[in-house]
Amino acid sequence: MSRVRCDKTAAWAKLNDLYQTQGRDFDLRQAFTADATRFETFSQSAPYVFADLSKNRIDAQTESLLIELARETGLEQHRDAMFAGEAINRTEQRAVMHFLLRSPADQVVSPAMAPELLKVHATLDSMLDFAEKIRHDAAYKDITDIVNVGIGGSDLGPQMAVLAMQDFAIAGKRFQFVSNVDEHELLSVLAELKPQSTLFLVASKTFTTPETMLNAHSALRWFKASGGQDVARHFVGLTTNLAAAKTFGIQTCFGFWDWVGGRYSLWSAIGLPIALAIGAAGFRELLAGAHAMDQHFQSAPLAQNLPVRLGLLDIWYRNFHGFSSRSIAPYSSALRRLPAYLQQLEMESNGKRVDMDGQTLPFATAPVLWGEPGTNGQHAYFQMLHQGSSVVPVEFVAVKNALQGMPGHHEKLIANVLAQAQSLMVGKTDVGGHRDFPGNRPSSFLLLDALNPRSLGALLALQEHRVFVSGSVWGINSFDQWGVELGKSLAQDIAPRLQSGDVQGLDGSTAGLLRRLRAT
Ligand SMILES: O=P(O)(O)OC[C@H]1O[C@](O)(CO)[C@@H](O)[C@@H]1O
């Protein structure tokens, strides 16, 4: 499919004019004064997620030109190509079908996808059976600790989701995540464990990632040295590389396929820690929530399509306003790893400066994503959001109904998130100097009725699709990650040099540091 580069479209030129004439000076406070229905016009209901976009620097004209831009760049065809199972990850010649992992078994799919859907459900059923056994079978009663060894997409998604689902997690089992090759992480986890009560999940799509392999081998060595006997019972593999897992000594393995990107893999076998925490029914709810969002993304008109509206807003801010970052502020301690998860999702997907054909793009792409849970962030960096010299759009995530009630806490949390979004926008300019707040600082507000498996699934699929939207308009391949390769291969080159001291061919700084590291 040949596509028009976004900056060559008529809509891009019109958006540029709009920005120069009105967008640059857009004032949110005036926009609310001028339009009593602004909240309704710029809010959007989607499955299990309500979004208030009204505190963003957009109006009806901006949104309609952004939709024109989406149409001109072929967003709908690109989306449909993904859902049709086409190999849209062109640099790796792979289909991108993580949505299939959450499609019901009776979903009507193309003949080419039907065997994949069968495999998905066969694996899902056996993985969920296994999870239920570990959770409830008397034979596994002794397993109290589950340790996931993985990194990147094989860590961030499951870790974030297990924490997010803390109110639904089985009692009596602890979940730990070891990702860093820094031995302190593994050592501190192992220090509290006994081999006979620990289940290690070695999670790696490729089963070659050096950090994960070293951590897994060290865990295995510890297991044996501490008297562990039955490796097959205590080590499980989650991978597409079943052969490598077998060589490691693993007998129980849950597979997935090359059409699942690492950062899109929590719905696959990589989600086993989540299934162990919330059970088979809970995991199916998570999938159902994501599937509902998939359907919304596929079928809602662009103007009422939440992933589309968010992704296009991201384009407006990045390419016309020039905002270079977005802050994510989940007002939920359970969602405290959401920013880290979204960093990989957005920046590994869209942190690219060339198009599908490798041509350099003359415009900016992925913003820096960062954040902490509220209210903590308020006592750290919100100063800068309110009064700093750069405008950073904020994305608040809040939960209406808290599951557990301690008097006053949830109200305080909600009052704070509302007050932050409000004060960023309204500002305060009657005092002068240090006490002035310029206001007019944009934010989006995502509201879940409750944080449960279904709404979490929908929230995450929403984020996946909004990243798809901006990546698609930019014309980049959101599904490869060549940018991590150079560092990986240089680390392989440097490791033996730390032993030998050979600095031949190294740049001056790396050579100097290596000498210093070896000096006694
Ligand atoms: O699951 P694997 O193959 O160990 O890879 C882990 C991570 O490494 C990357 O390939 C690159 O950092 C990520 O995309 C991936 O999530």
Side-chain angles (χ1 to χ4, degrees):
M1 183 177 85
S2 93
R3 309 177 67 222
V4 188
R5 207 176 75 187
C6 58
D7 62 325
K8 307 231 182 228
T9 59
W12 188 275
K14 288 189 224 168
L15 282 160
N16 208 24
D17 283 350
L18 182 71
Y19 174 72
Q20 301 297 342
T21 52
Q22 298 168 35
R24 191 202 299 270
D25 302 319
F26 190 94
D27 191 288
L28 287 163
R29 294 151 296 196
Q30 284 168 12
F32 273 97
T33 311
D35 178 5
T37 62
R38 184 171 171 83
F39 175 78
E40 286 72 26
T41 310
F42 295 100
S43 56
Q44 180 68 57
S45 289
Y48 313 107
V49 183
F50 172 83
D52 170 22
L53 307 180
S54 64
K55 292 200 219 58
N56 283 295
R57 295 187 189 178
I58 45 170
D59 57 14
Q61 194 186 358
T62 320
E63 278 213 310
S64 98
L65 285 178
L66 286 166
I67 286 169
E68 213 175 296
L69 176 69
R71 291 229 162 84
E72 280 192 77
T73 52
L75 171 69
E76 289 156 296
Q77 292 85 335
H78 194 211
R79 174 197 63 191
D80 296 346
M82 173 174 77
F83 281 103
E86 287 176 31
I88 63 164
N89 174 356
R90 284 193 358 220
T91 61
E92 297 178 316
Q93 274 127 42
R94 286 176 187 166
V96 172
M97 300 200 295
H98 46 274
F99 61 87
L100 208 59
L101 298 164
R102 52 232 190 183
S103 296
D106 58 0
Q107 171 100 356
V108 179
V109 295
S110 69
M113 272 195 276
E116 303 302 310
L117 188 58
L118 278 178
K119 284 193 276 180
V120 163
H121 280 275
T123 306
L124 177 65
D125 291 347
S126 64
M127 165 182 132
L128 295 184
D129 280 353
F130 178 77
E132 286 303 317
K133 257 201 274 175
I134 302 289
R135 284 163 57 88
H136 299 302
D137 264 25
Y140 291 96
K141 213 166 164 250
D142 53 341
I143 301 288
T144 52
D145 289 275
I146 290 134
V147 180
N148 191 79
V149 180
I151 198 164
S154 301
D155 165 67
L156 290 164
Q159 186 187 156
M160 172 274 299
V162 167
L163 287 169
M165 293 293 94
Q166 64 195 31
D167 287 340
F168 298 83
I170 188 165
K173 302 219 188 279
R174 289 187 301 177
F175 292 83
Q176 318 255 23
F177 291 82
V178 174
S179 54
N180 202 324
V181 76
D182 181 339
E183 65 191 305
H184 290 86
E185 195 164 283
L186 181 58
L187 281 172
S188 66
V189 167
L190 294 179
E192 295 180 11
L193 301 180
K194 294 193 183 65
Q196 61 275 18
S197 55
T198 303
L199 178 68
F200 289 98
L201 309 178
V202 185
S204 174
K205 177 176 171 180
T206 54
F207 226 83
T208 58
T209 303
E211 295 95 320
T212 300
M213 290 303 105
L214 186 53
N215 277 330
H217 280 287
S218 298
L220 181 62
R221 197 169 342 104
W222 168 87
F223 179 81
K224 289 178 178 164
S226 322
Q229 312 251 306
D230 194 349
V231 173
R233 182 174 190 266
H234 290 269
F235 283 77
V236 168
L238 314 174
T239 184
T240 60
N241 188 350
L242 304 179
K246 203 162 187 187
T247 308
F248 181 93
I250 285 177
Q251 287 179 22
T252 304
C253 226
F254 298 99
F256 57 112
W257 306 277
D258 70 359
W259 45 260
V260 183
R263 53 197 173 274
Y264 299 88
S265 65
L266 73 89
W267 322 99
S268 73
I270 292 293
L272 181 58
I274 311 169
L276 286 164
I278 65 175
F283 196 78
R284 288 189 193 278
E285 282 284 291
L286 180 87
L287 299 181
H291 179 64
M293 190 59 77
D294 292 341
Q295 290 183 307
H296 169 79
F297 180 46
Q298 271 185 286
S299 60
L302 298 189
Q304 281 103 49
N305 192 311
L306 185 53
V308 171
R309 291 180 88 175
L310 281 175
L312 293 177
L313 180 62
D314 295 339
I315 303 261
W316 177 236
Y317 282 160
R318 188 74 187 102
N319 298 114
F320 298 92
H321 281 273
F323 300 151
S324 57
S325 82
R326 179 166 81 248
S327 187
I328 171 97
Y331 272 64
S332 157
S333 158
L335 289 173
R336 61 190 173 278
R337 291 296 285 164
L338 185 67
Y341 164 80
L342 292 179
Q343 279 178 336
Q344 186 197 19
L345 181 62
E346 179 127 4
M347 297 199 278
E348 202 172 73
S349 297
N350 288 346
K352 292 157 195 173
R353 71 193 206 304
V354 297
D355 69 9
M356 294 266 187
D357 302 315
Q359 301 298 316
T360 304
L361 294 170
F363 47 79
T365 57
V368 175
L369 219 72
W370 57 284
E372 282 286 321
T375 60
N376 302 18
Q378 289 173 212
H379 301 276
Y381 55 80
F382 267 60
Q383 161 65 40
M384 184 270 243
L385 297 180
H386 287 288
Q387 291 187 313
S389 51
S390 305
V391 173
V392 178
V394 181
E395 190 157 296
F396 294 100
V397 183
V399 181
K400 186 172 159 191
N401 299 310
L403 274 182
Q404 288 168 359
M406 266 200 173
H409 287 255
H410 193 60
E411 283 87 330
K412 263 268 153 40
L413 190 64
I414 294 296
N416 270 280
V417 65
L418 287 173
Q420 289 303 317
Q422 181 191 26
S423 55
L424 282 166
M425 177 177 75
V426 298
K428 188 168 187 290
T429 49
D430 53 349
V431 199
H434 299 293
R435 291 172 190 231
D436 254 13
F437 290 70
N440 200 29
R441 305 223 154 174
S443 65
S444 301
F445 199 107
L446 303 182
L447 183 63
L448 311 180
D449 273 349
L451 180 59
N452 55 36
R454 203 170 264 258
S455 65
L456 180 68
L459 176 69
L460 302 180
L462 167 66
Q463 297 290 349
E464 288 180 350
H465 295 323
R466 72 99 71 87
V467 167
F468 177 92
V469 169
S470 53
S472 174
V473 171
W474 285 323
I476 59 187
N477 181 1
S478 301
F479 301 101
D480 61 12
Q481 56 283 319
W482 298 106
V484 300
E485 294 305 323
L486 180 60
K488 275 191 203 171
S489 66
L490 290 184
Q492 261 176 357
D493 170 65
I494 288 174
R497 292 174 186 265
L498 286 165
Q499 298 295 326
S500 67
D502 175 17
V503 294
Q504 187 83 28
L506 293 180
D507 63 89
S509 169
T510 310
L513 287 168
L514 199 133
R515 280 197 206 96
R516 195 170 172 92
L517 280 159
R518 282 177 46 83
T520 45

